[in-house]
Amino acid sequence: MTVTSASPEIKIELHKSPVSDADRIHALETPGFGKVFTDHMVLARWTADKGWHDAKVTPRRPLELDPASAVLHYAQEIFEGMKAYKADDGRILLFRPEENARRFAQSATRMAMPPVPEELFLKAVEELVRVDKAWIPSGDASLYLRPFMFANEAFLGVRPAQEYVFCIIASPVGAYFKGGAKAVSLWVETEYTRAAAGGTGAAKCGGNYAASLVAQAEAAKKDCDQVVFLDAAEHRWVEELGGMNVFFVMNDGSVVTPPLGGTILPGITRASVITLAGEKGLRVEQRPYSFAEWQADAASGKLVEAFACGTAAVLAGIGLVRHAGGEFLVGDGQTGKLTSELRQQLVSLQKGVTNDERGWTRLIPA
């Protein structure tokens, strides 16, 4: 476990009228996901002449944008998703936040935006969590953190902007899926695609998610929890869900997941699962896996379980798969044994229950 060190100064402006203790406690009883927000946020600015400056934790409030702000017209915007956890002994922990900082910088580079220095990113996250630590739920819930950056230069012209805002907001959250640990159902999308080679699939930008919404709406019409996308070139190879990576568990103990290659988001939970599965002695194959192969393996029994993973849901078993030609079950349609084991292992690390031998958790000092 690492402890924070010296980092850039961030001004603290405390809210003069924060949510009352009673209202906050009530909100934490059933927070849902992404509907309740804490009292404060982080703001920092970048300009071509000053670089990053004016970093502060400040009362959460609406942002003021000029109608010509570049983000509204050319979609220069990126974001991250991460969580702060409260351990049973009261410690506050982050899980692999350095990886979020690095991916945020990589997304910025792809979108022609100035990367936020890792030190500033981590310090900003920690200061916000420290100021709003009363909002961190206990038990299975957590504090979801949403760092994001957007272009706010007022101009109409197709070029990278010269002014940006970096912001972090926080939201106490419960389970991402309504069914909790219940296996989720998927709709296989064969018309719309999420990303193509050379595009922005590996960047965590809003445009990728906007492109997935029509397919997600179709999945909802099919009474499915999520959509799974195939590749843009052949509509053959499984890539990822609307907001999560995907894994397949075979009856010989091997685990298959689609390879990174520019069209798939390099998930931090994905990377953690690969490490943990390998430490269990399982063979993890990062290789192309076709939808036809998925159907055949499910029918033959070779595929025994499958799961999706991401920060919001951690791991979610995949049960029913619907597609234009019909539907099929993965295994018995329930969350599989390995899925449950890996999820529990990850959650135990995140919550500080298990000794962290890998240096993945980061303690936020009181």
Side-chain angles (χ1 to χ4, degrees):
M1 178 181 297
T2 56
V3 178
T4 56
S5 57
S7 44
E9 180 180 355
I10 296 179
K11 185 178 180 181
I12 307 295
E13 299 175 348
L14 295 180
H15 205 304
K16 294 180 180 179
S17 301
V19 172
S20 69
D21 290 346
D23 286 345
R24 185 184 66 252
I25 291 171
H26 178 69
L28 291 178
E29 291 175 355
T30 53
F33 198 96
K35 295 181 179 180
V36 177
F37 297 93
T38 66
D39 294 304
H40 298 86
M41 64 181 181
V42 168
L43 281 178
R45 299 185 179 279
W46 185 94
T47 56
D49 58 337
K50 291 184 178 181
W52 287 107
H53 62 280
D54 195 23
K56 58 188 176 184
V57 174
T58 187
R60 186 178 181 276
R61 60 184 182 274
L63 297 172
E64 184 174 307
L65 289 178
D66 188 285
S69 289
V71 66
L72 301 177
H73 304 272
Y74 309 113
Q76 268 191 293
E77 179 271 348
I78 59 172
F79 67 96
E80 270 298 320
M82 54 197 301
K83 290 178 178 178
Y85 306 86
K86 182 182 291 183
D88 291 340
D89 59 8
R91 289 175 300 153
I92 299 173
L93 304 170
L94 299 173
F95 184 71
R96 307 191 75 176
E98 300 87 355
E99 295 303 317
N100 292 98
R102 290 167 192 152
R103 188 171 66 182
F104 197 67
Q106 291 165 0
S107 294
T109 299
R110 176 60 184 86
M111 301 299 288
M113 304 167 77
V116 174
E118 182 174 327
E119 193 176 13
L120 172 59
F121 181 99
L122 295 174
K123 180 66 173 177
V125 167
E126 292 171 358
E127 290 291 0
L128 178 60
V129 172
R130 188 178 291 114
V131 168
D132 277 343
K133 62 183 177 181
W135 284 93
I136 305 177
S138 300
D140 294 333
S142 57
L143 185 66
Y144 185 82
L145 301 162
R146 172 52 61 87
F148 62 99
M149 177 167 61
F150 61 90
N152 73 321
E153 180 186 0
F155 80 102
L156 297 179
V158 182
R159 61 163 174 76
Q162 296 183 5
E163 296 180 15
Y164 296 86
V165 172
F166 171 50
C167 185
I168 309 175
I169 55 177
S171 172
V173 297
Y176 184 71
F177 291 112
K178 293 180 180 179
K182 180 181 177 182
V184 298
S185 55
L186 301 183
W187 169 253
V188 180
E189 179 56 51
T190 55
E191 178 180 357
Y192 298 106
T193 57
R194 176 187 170 275
T200 60
K204 200 168 178 66
C205 63
N208 292 340
Y209 294 80
S212 76
L213 295 181
V214 66
Q216 182 60 48
E218 184 65 21
K221 291 178 183 177
K222 304 295 183 180
D223 198 28
C224 292
D225 298 302
Q226 266 283 341
V227 60
V228 58
F229 288 100
L230 306 180
D231 73 291
E234 300 179 70
H235 295 274
R236 175 185 178 191
W237 305 102
V238 178
E239 294 215 316
E240 67 175 72
L241 276 61
M244 292 175 282
N245 298 118
V246 62
F247 284 78
F248 304 93
V249 183
M250 305 301 170
N251 57 8
D252 63 357
S254 63
V255 180
V256 176
T257 190
L260 302 180
T263 60
I264 295 175
L265 185 73
I268 295 163
T269 306
R270 175 187 183 275
S272 303
V273 165
I274 290 172
T275 297
L276 295 177
E279 290 176 354
K280 286 179 174 291
L282 302 175
R283 184 176 79 255
V284 181
E285 301 177 20
Q286 299 183 58
R287 66 170 177 84
Y289 189 72
S290 71
F291 179 49
E293 191 176 1
W294 186 358
Q295 294 178 82
D297 289 346
S300 69
K302 179 180 179 180
L303 177 67
V304 293
E305 56 184 289
F307 61 86
C309 68
T311 297
V314 191
L315 267 69
I318 296 170
L320 176 67
V321 181
R322 288 196 168 116
H323 56 99
E327 62 183 44
F328 61 90
L329 290 177
V330 174
D332 62 1
Q334 305 300 314
T335 298
K337 182 175 182 290
L338 180 62
T339 302
S340 297
E341 289 178 355
L342 288 171
R343 188 183 195 284
Q344 185 57 49
Q345 194 173 358
L346 267 175
V347 171
S348 294
L349 283 166
Q350 292 165 344
K351 301 284 288 187
V353 175
T354 305
N355 183 39
D356 175 26
E357 299 175 348
R358 304 168 194 81
W360 283 356
T361 55
R362 186 179 182 96
L363 175 68
I364 297 183

